Amino acid sequence: LKVIRKDFSSAPLWALKDPRMCRLLPLWFELFERVGCEPDFVIVFRHPREVARSLESRDGFAPEKSFLLWLYHNVEAERWSRGHRRVFVAFEQRLADPAAPIRRIGSELDCSWPVPLEAGTRAVASFLEPSLRHHSASAARGEPEAATSDPMIDDLFDALTAATDGETDAIRARFVDLERRFAERTGAFDVALTSHIGDVQQRLQNAQGVIERIGASVSWRITRRLRGVKHFWKLLFSRPE
């Protein structure tokens, strides 16, 4: 709160960019209210296959993990920004024509840009270099090669893409349905994960019990000095590599 007031209290228009915000927006809403700020949202999304290839190259993530992360982040971004003014922008649109999304954002969010659009577009184009896009979904939307093998992910990407032309009641209904499907899926995940965590905890408790019984056994106490001597001689006569 102090940082927001210090850095932005005198600015009529300011912005935050952080991919984690889509998961933490409930916390941010409280801050926005306390500083008297009404937030608008620009939701930039990328093809899930491009995200998966990028995360595999950078972090070694398996595609299935990356697809699940993409689903979580985009469902949450749509869910928590619902009811607020927002604009959807495809990552590829920013590269193909930087002026178009800036113009749409200004129009739909009623933004008064601090610099003329032409000058702002030149500044954006100076660092949005298409050649830096190392991973691209080679197939067009709707072709088999572009699909992810997960209908929910493909449906969400299609809904997000459709929303770039303007959010209609039909598109909002699709988002609500996708949120419902997502909740059902994560509910199943929670049950399985809770069961797995319980099983791991039980195994740890069993292992700890075995270790305690071994440590308390007569044979372990009798041979303790012998193990100490053996360890000493091993250190004494070991040769450096």
Side-chain angles (χ1 to χ4, degrees):
L1 183 61
K2 291 181 180 179
V3 173
I4 293 177
R5 286 175 172 164
K6 175 178 177 293
D7 293 346
F8 303 117
S9 60
S10 61
L13 176 67
W14 53 279
L16 295 172
K17 174 186 175 295
D18 188 336
R20 292 162 294 192
M21 282 191 69
C22 60
R23 305 293 303 276
L24 301 174
L25 271 178
L27 300 176
W28 279 97
F29 281 133
E30 181 180 348
L31 294 177
F32 294 148
E33 184 176 357
R34 293 176 67 179
V35 298
C37 173
E38 179 61 34
D40 297 330
F41 296 92
V42 178
I43 301 176
V44 181
F45 63 95
R46 191 176 182 183
H47 195 289
R49 280 205 175 278
E50 294 183 14
V51 173
R53 290 167 185 163
S54 178
L55 291 177
E56 181 180 20
S57 176
R58 191 189 70 182
D59 301 314
F61 287 179
E64 295 77 12
K65 178 177 180 178
S66 298
F67 288 152
L68 187 58
L69 288 172
W70 184 95
L71 183 62
Y72 261 90
H73 281 74
N74 283 281
V75 166
E76 294 285 89
E78 188 284 319
R79 172 191 178 190
W80 292 115
S81 64
R82 194 184 304 160
H84 296 266
R85 293 194 306 183
R86 59 187 184 179
V87 176
F88 294 86
V89 177
F91 179 78
E92 58 189 20
Q93 292 174 334
R94 291 173 46 191
L95 296 178
D97 183 7
I102 293 176
R103 191 176 295 109
R104 274 201 308 116
I105 292 169
S107 173
E108 297 185 29
L109 300 185
D110 193 24
C111 288
S112 297
W113 300 119
V115 297
L117 180 61
E118 183 179 350
T121 300
R122 285 199 302 268
V124 172
S126 67
F127 65 84
L128 280 181
E129 176 54 52
S131 64
L132 297 177
R133 184 186 186 187
H134 302 299
H135 305 279
S136 175
S138 58
R141 180 167 57 94
E143 295 183 9
E145 293 82 358
T148 64
S149 76
D150 188 327
M152 187 183 301
I153 293 177
D154 296 333
D155 289 348
L156 179 56
F157 179 75
D158 283 345
L160 291 169
T161 302
T164 62
D165 293 327
E167 192 175 0
T168 64
D169 290 340
I171 292 174
R172 292 189 190 95
R174 291 177 65 181
F175 283 142
V176 171
D177 180 64
L178 282 161
E179 181 192 358
R180 176 190 58 77
R181 291 164 57 189
F182 177 75
E184 291 175 353
R185 173 183 289 193
T186 53
F189 287 164
D190 289 344
V191 172
L193 186 58
T194 300
S195 175
H196 177 67
I197 292 175
D199 181 60
V200 171
Q201 290 176 335
Q202 185 61 53
R203 289 171 182 266
L204 289 174
Q205 291 176 2
N206 293 342
Q208 184 65 33
V210 171
I211 292 172
E212 291 175 355
R213 287 196 296 272
I214 291 175
S217 65
V218 175
S219 60
W220 184 262
R221 294 201 302 270
I222 291 175
T223 59
R224 181 168 51 190
R225 291 183 179 276
L226 180 60
R227 291 196 305 274
V229 172
K230 181 178 179 182
H231 180 66
F232 171 77
W233 282 102
K234 183 177 180 180
L235 293 176
L236 184 64
F237 291 102
S238 62
R239 296 180 179 180
E241 296 293 337

